[in-house]
Amino acid sequence: MDIEKILEYQKLDFVLYKANKDFANSEENKRAQMYRKLRNDLAESLIRLDKEAGENFNDIDKAITSYENFVKKLKATNLSAPKTIEQADKNEETINALISELNAIQKDIQKCFARLQEIDTKDAKEVKQKIGKVLSELKNAEIIRNDKRNEIISSISQEGAALNKMQSELAPEDLKIYNKVKSSVNRMPYIVEYRDGNCLGCGIEIKSEVDAKLQKSGDTAECPHCRRIVYKK
Ligand SMILES: [Zn+2]
């Protein structure tokens, strides 16, 4: 591995890496992310309300079926003129039971309609109003975020161009190793010095594992702890 060249490449890459981090942590980016989350949460609320409305319609269907069954039962009920006090009491009992059954069905239907009306005129309306506000805030936030992004990209344009140029100059094998470490290690640097038996990336002593591979200047090995590439100066 051409250590000098790959370190030069890493230095350029670090500028881009830092710029990426700066952008991710910028107020402009965070603000846009916050509005995106708000928009998604509100959209979910609308879906929930829609689902609830669907359930209410189902309950109304059920109540209508109950009412139809009630009518059938009513037709089949025989309330002949009472001849005794016991019969009169029994008739009254039957009528009371029918009335309370009808009341319960009516109550169910009324409850569903009231909730449907509330969803339509209050809850969904409120959520839609909020969505309207959030969307317009989000639009502004996205424009500001994009400006910030462009500003950062143009501030690193020299390094970006130099990095691209170096990609064709580096030995393909070296670049491949670099990119492999880059994809598996979260934090830069990826290529670090091996000094006094330690990996300078994670700081852990790795002498017993890698010392045999790192005998002369320019030798490389993989740190068994952090998976960075260590090199001997
Ligand atoms: Zn390490």
Side-chain angles (χ1 to χ4, degrees), residues 192 199-204 206 223-228 230:
V192 294
C199 162
L200 291 194
C202 63
I204 293 173
I206 50 173
C223 170
H225 295 285
C226 68
R227 302 288 159 203
R228 289 180 173 89
V230 287

Side-chain angles (χ1 to χ4, degrees), residues 49-65 108-109 111-113 115-117 119-120:
L49 284 174
D50 198 44
K51 201 171 155 228
E52 198 193 333
E55 281 160 7
N56 273 292
F57 278 117
N58 282 343
D59 287 347
I60 288 172
D61 280 345
K62 274 186 212 155
I64 288 171
T65 308
D108 281 347
I109 294 181
K111 210 174 108 194
C112 290
F113 275 120
R115 180 63 192 134
L116 277 172
Q117 202 178 18
I119 289 173
D120 193 41

Side-chain angles (χ1 to χ4, degrees), residues 81-90:
K83 285 181 182 122
T84 61
I85 291 174
E86 285 82 8
Q87 256 183 13
D89 283 348
K90 197 140 197 308

Side-chain angles (χ1 to χ4, degrees), residues 27-195:
E27 282 307 310
E28 292 86 345
N29 181 47
K30 282 183 182 165
R31 203 175 140 82
Q33 300 290 0
M34 180 195 79
Y35 280 116
R36 282 182 198 176
K37 191 180 178 300
L38 272 178
R39 176 201 55 194
N40 294 348
D41 289 350
L42 287 168
E44 260 173 41
S45 300
L46 260 194
I47 292 169
R48 264 201 305 276
L49 284 174
D50 198 44
K51 201 171 155 228
E52 198 193 333
E55 281 160 7
N56 273 292
F57 278 117
N58 282 343
D59 287 347
I60 288 172
D61 280 345
K62 274 186 212 155
I64 288 171
T65 308
S66 303
Y67 178 72
E68 284 165 356
N69 289 336
F70 173 80
V71 171
K72 275 184 209 156
K73 200 158 104 184
L74 191 65
K75 278 180 185 165
T77 306
N78 183 19
L79 290 173
S80 47
K83 285 181 182 122
T84 61
I85 291 174
E86 285 82 8
Q87 256 183 13
D89 283 348
K90 197 140 197 308
N91 279 357
E92 202 186 327
E93 209 176 281
T94 307
I95 290 167
N96 284 340
L98 286 167
I99 288 172
S100 64
E101 195 178 336
L102 185 62
N103 280 341
I105 294 169
Q106 261 183 341
K107 225 173 147 184
D108 281 347
I109 294 181
Q110 270 165 1
K111 210 174 108 194
C112 290
F113 275 120
R115 180 63 192 134
L116 277 172
Q117 202 178 18
E118 193 183 37
I119 289 173
D120 193 41
T121 59
K122 187 171 164 279
D123 296 2
K125 207 172 153 190
E126 273 175 20
V127 173
K128 280 175 189 165
Q129 274 171 354
K130 278 185 196 160
I131 287 182
K133 275 187 199 156
V134 166
L135 283 182
S136 94
E137 292 287 352
L138 177 61
K139 198 179 157 195
N140 287 331
E142 293 283 14
I143 291 170
I144 295 167
R145 178 182 181 268
N146 212 32
D147 288 346
K148 181 72 183 174
R149 199 166 159 265
N150 288 336
E151 179 197 312
I152 288 182
I153 288 173
S154 70
S155 76
I156 52 164
S157 63
Q158 275 185 353
E159 288 86 354
L163 193 87
N164 276 339
K165 192 166 165 273
M166 275 201 83
Q167 277 174 359
S168 56
E169 293 166 8
L170 278 170
E173 195 50 38
D174 289 359
L175 190 61
K176 205 173 150 191
I177 292 170
Y178 183 90
N179 285 332
K180 191 172 164 252
V181 185
K182 186 175 177 170
S183 67
S184 60
V185 175
N186 282 331
R187 287 176 59 193
M188 284 196 85
Y190 311 126
I191 313 289
V192 294
E193 197 188 326
Y194 172 68
R195 196 192 293 167

